[in-house]
Amino acid sequence: MIDFELTEEQRALVDTARRFAKERIIPVAAECDRDAKYPMDVFVDAWKLGLVNPTLPTEYGGLGLSDVDSTLITEELAYGCAGIETSIMCNTLGFTPIRLGGSEAQKKKYLGWLASEPIMVSYATSEPNAGSDVAGIQTRAVKDSGGGYVLNGAKQWITNATHASFYCIFASEDPSLKHKAMAAFIVERDQKGVRIGKHEDKLGQRASDTAPILLEDVHIPASQVLAVPGQGFKLAMETFNQTRPEIGAIAVGIMRRCLEECIAYAKERKTFGTAIANHQLVAAMIAEMAIRAEATRLLVRQAAWSLDQGKRRPILSAYAKAFGADAAMQTAIDAVQVFGGYGYVKDYPVEKLMRDAKLLQIYEGTSQVQRIVIAKQLFSD
Ligand SMILES: Cc1cc2nc3c(=O)[nH]c(=O)nc-3n(C[C@H](O)[C@H](O)[C@H](O)COP(=O)(O)OP(=O)(O)OC[C@H]3O[C@@H](n4cnc5c(N)ncnc54)[C@H](O)[C@@H]3O)c2cc1C
């Protein structure tokens, strides 16, 4: 039986997130984009409303919402501003390794912390010389005599690094062994030897914080070892499998915003004595936007539903991410086109949508990497 209807609770959740985007995100989005400023008060208010960490399990104080619920929230927040949304929902990427691989004590401490305070957690695999090639990381983890490790290295492009209270950091016991030696650690912001580098001045999603994490002789006690060497790569990949549908949901939010802005503008703007909505070439661009948004939403819904059912089908998560990211980019480029010259200036909202959409093709595995992931699964079946 297939049912595309949202439940009453899901409709209420969408209403709450939509109202939050309208009242708290949209009014500050342009300023935060211009000044590359993260609105911490918006994050705190989102946390109070239960929009942050939606899938945090109830045993640890969370709301225990489903992955489908989480993508519904993401779509609404991204409609308001993809940069602010990324920083709000990135906690899910940050805590998923602990939810999947943490010990009971780690879950109690760190998931419980997220439930009890409006704090952030970051996820860190990427390095200056290893992004797509996750198994190529160079950050070293050297075992100490007490069952803990000492970390040395640098993580690059880490969302919310400046603000996070703790991090899930991936490192290697022996980089020459690639994925066979990868491990994962919970690292607290205040631990000796942890330093956060300069906030990146980005093209888009400028409201979100992105910064390097530098690790110099950071002593990690055994209680903060999340995955022992050999288990880290699997944990990193499974985390992406769980969170990629969220990127598809950001894409839907961006496309819905493009669509609404373009419909309104095309009805108002006149050329050759008539509204541009009456020019079939313009109307067709807008029809394509709607097709892409709807197709992505269905892929996202299917991938999230599959996760909720406990079915392991990473190809569905990759479809939602790959199709959604490319669809959002094309849609945002076309939105600028529909606005003509006005699309190219900052007084109108669509140039920001184009800059924001681009990141979807890069983070959590580039569009090329998604094709590799998909092809690998197709050929292995
Ligand atoms: C704003 C922002 C936020 C981010 N947030 C996080 C975060 O929170 N945590 C985190 O760990 N990382 C984060 N990242 C890092 C992101 O995941 C990486 O940038 C991404 O995986 C690409 O890695 P790279 O930049 O090293 O590019 P590279 O891996 O060097 O790739 C360069 C180009 O080559 C292509 N390419 C690479 N290998 C192949 C191949 N085998 N076949 C075909 N094409 C290939 C890529 O698709 C890309 O087009 C973030 C990045 C940005 C920009």
Side-chain angles (χ1 to χ4, degrees), residues 86 90 93 122-134 155-161 168 170 200 202 204-205 208-211 240 359 361-370 372:
T86 284
C90 198
L93 174 66
S122 299
Y123 171 95
T125 53
S126 302
E127 297 184 354
N129 292 312
S132 303
D133 182 9
V134 175
K155 293 292 168 183
Q156 182 79 5
W157 317 117
I158 307 308
T159 302
N160 290 342
C168 286
F170 292 79
E200 302 289 349
K202 302 193 295 292
Q205 300 207 15
S208 71
D209 170 62
T210 314
F240 286 137
L359 185 53
Q361 295 180 310
I362 298 172
Y363 61 9
E364 291 203 37
T366 65
S367 291
Q368 289 71 36
V369 164
Q370 300 310 312
I372 294 169

Side-chain angles (χ1 to χ4, degrees), residues 89-258:
M89 296 303 273
C90 198
N91 265 20
T92 302
L93 174 66
F95 75 67
T96 294
I98 301 176
R99 182 171 69 78
L100 295 176
S103 66
E104 195 49 35
Q106 289 170 341
K107 287 180 188 176
K108 266 202 183 116
K109 178 169 179 188
Y110 293 100
L111 300 185
W113 192 5
L114 289 165
S116 62
E117 274 183 65
I119 57 158
M120 290 179 173
V121 49
S122 299
Y123 171 95
T125 53
S126 302
E127 297 184 354
N129 292 312
S132 303
D133 182 9
V134 175
I137 59 171
Q138 300 293 313
T139 295
R140 286 297 296 266
V142 176
K143 201 163 185 180
D144 66 20
S145 53
Y149 287 81
V150 179
L151 301 187
N152 276 287
K155 293 292 168 183
Q156 182 79 5
W157 317 117
I158 307 308
T159 302
N160 290 342
T162 310
H163 308 295
S165 299
F166 64 98
Y167 312 97
C168 286
I169 290 192
F170 292 79
S172 177
E173 197 170 35
D174 179 353
S176 70
L177 295 178
K178 304 279 272 187
H179 61 275
K180 290 191 188 122
M182 235 174 107
F185 305 92
I186 301 170
V187 179
E188 296 187 13
R189 172 76 163 87
D190 295 338
Q191 278 184 251
K192 193 160 171 276
V194 176
R195 210 155 45 81
I196 306 305
K198 185 179 125 311
H199 165 79
E200 302 289 349
D201 189 9
K202 302 193 295 292
L203 172 74
Q205 300 207 15
R206 289 170 54 76
S208 71
D209 170 62
T210 314
I213 302 175
L214 308 160
L215 305 157
E216 203 181 325
D217 292 331
V218 181
H219 287 263
I220 303 294
S223 61
Q224 286 171 227
V225 178
L226 185 54
V228 294
Q231 297 299 315
F233 186 74
K234 208 168 130 217
L235 183 62
M237 293 303 117
E238 190 50 33
T239 298
F240 286 137
N241 175 38
Q242 303 269 329
T243 57
R244 278 179 181 148
E246 294 287 342
I247 309 295
I250 301 175
V252 181
I254 290 178
M255 287 190 273
R256 229 182 70 213
R257 185 71 182 274
C258 288

Side-chain angles (χ1 to χ4, degrees), residues 17-83:
R18 189 167 293 181
R19 206 169 333 110
F20 188 78
K22 184 166 172 234
E23 292 171 4
R24 298 292 285 112
I25 295 181
I26 292 175
V28 299
E31 183 193 336
C32 290
D33 173 62
R34 187 192 63 214
D35 300 343
K37 184 178 75 180
Y38 186 68
M40 195 51 82
D41 57 325
V42 174
F43 178 84
V44 171
D45 288 350
W47 182 87
K48 286 181 186 158
L49 266 182
L51 298 174
V52 185
N53 315 317
T55 54
L56 200 77
T58 48
E59 306 92 281
Y60 308 105
L63 290 175
L65 297 184
S66 68
D67 285 292
V68 169
D69 295 338
S70 181
T71 59
L72 296 173
I73 297 172
T74 295
E75 177 184 329
E76 296 306 325
L77 303 187
Y79 173 95
C81 172

